[in-house]
Amino acid sequence: MNDPQPRKIHTTEQPVAVIRERVPMTSLTEFFGRAFGAIMAATQKQGAFPTGPPFARYHGMPSDTVDVEAGFPIAGHFTGTDGVQTSVLPGGDAFEAIHTGPYDTLGETYGAIQQQMQAEGLTPSDSMWEYYLSDPEQEPDPANWQTKVVWPTA
């Protein structure tokens, strides 16, 4: 049972390596698999390495398609190559919540964060991201998957 408890946080700017595309919602899983593999290969070639779990950052509200960056927080020197670019997850005030369960129920967690923001008189930004804390290959039961949702305030 997913019962996210949104909490207010302050994020620090985080360098990331990403692939950004506009993707049909129905193709997100394929995009993530392709992007995460390409980013790992590109960063390793340059001696950079992931410092956290894979994430997806959404620009604007998803519809049939979504403007999305998939990537990893990185450390070490990396310059864009092979379609992989450097970017930054911005620092600032945000709300985060841990979602437990399949990805198709993430809307519940976004709703809980949005309610918390409204209760505090805050406006959500048009960009938010998800850290994928569970590896579906290691944890085959979607009911146990954990995703950290981070939604900055405007």
Side-chain angles (χ1 to χ4, degrees):
M1 168 78 184
N2 185 49
D3 185 20
Q5 297 296 315
R7 64 188 189 99
K8 198 172 191 178
I9 61 167
H10 187 83
T11 61
T12 56
E13 197 170 271
Q14 172 68 58
V16 294
V18 299
I19 292 178
R20 182 174 179 175
E21 292 181 12
R22 178 163 285 283
V23 180
M25 288 298 285
T26 55
S27 300
L28 270 178
T29 302
E30 180 276 330
F31 168 69
F32 290 151
R34 178 170 50 83
F36 294 146
I39 294 162
M40 288 297 284
T43 55
Q44 286 172 349
K45 272 189 210 170
Q46 295 186 29
F49 55 93
T51 59
F55 73 91
R57 181 180 182 195
Y58 299 93
H59 298 273
M61 295 308 281
S63 58
D64 292 346
T65 62
V66 62
D67 178 359
V68 61
E69 289 178 305
F72 293 92
I74 56 165
H77 180 72
F78 178 72
T79 54
T81 181
D82 299 330
V84 179
Q85 59 195 42
T86 57
S87 186
V88 171
L89 290 177
D93 291 330
F95 282 80
E96 75 173 15
I98 300 293
H99 174 84
T100 302
Y103 302 137
D104 62 4
T105 60
L106 274 161
E108 298 168 15
T109 299
Y110 279 101
I113 293 172
Q114 207 165 13
Q115 282 183 322
Q116 188 67 40
M117 282 188 191
Q118 287 172 342
E120 296 189 28
L122 300 168
T123 303
S125 81
D126 64 355
S127 162
M128 68 288 292
W129 57 92
E130 302 165 356
Y131 289 104
Y132 303 108
L133 306 179
S134 301
D135 179 346
E137 291 182 13
Q138 302 292 318
E139 175 50 71
D141 184 354
N144 296 325
W145 292 352
Q146 289 201 310
T147 306
K148 182 193 294 185
V149 176
V150 179
W151 197 346
T153 56

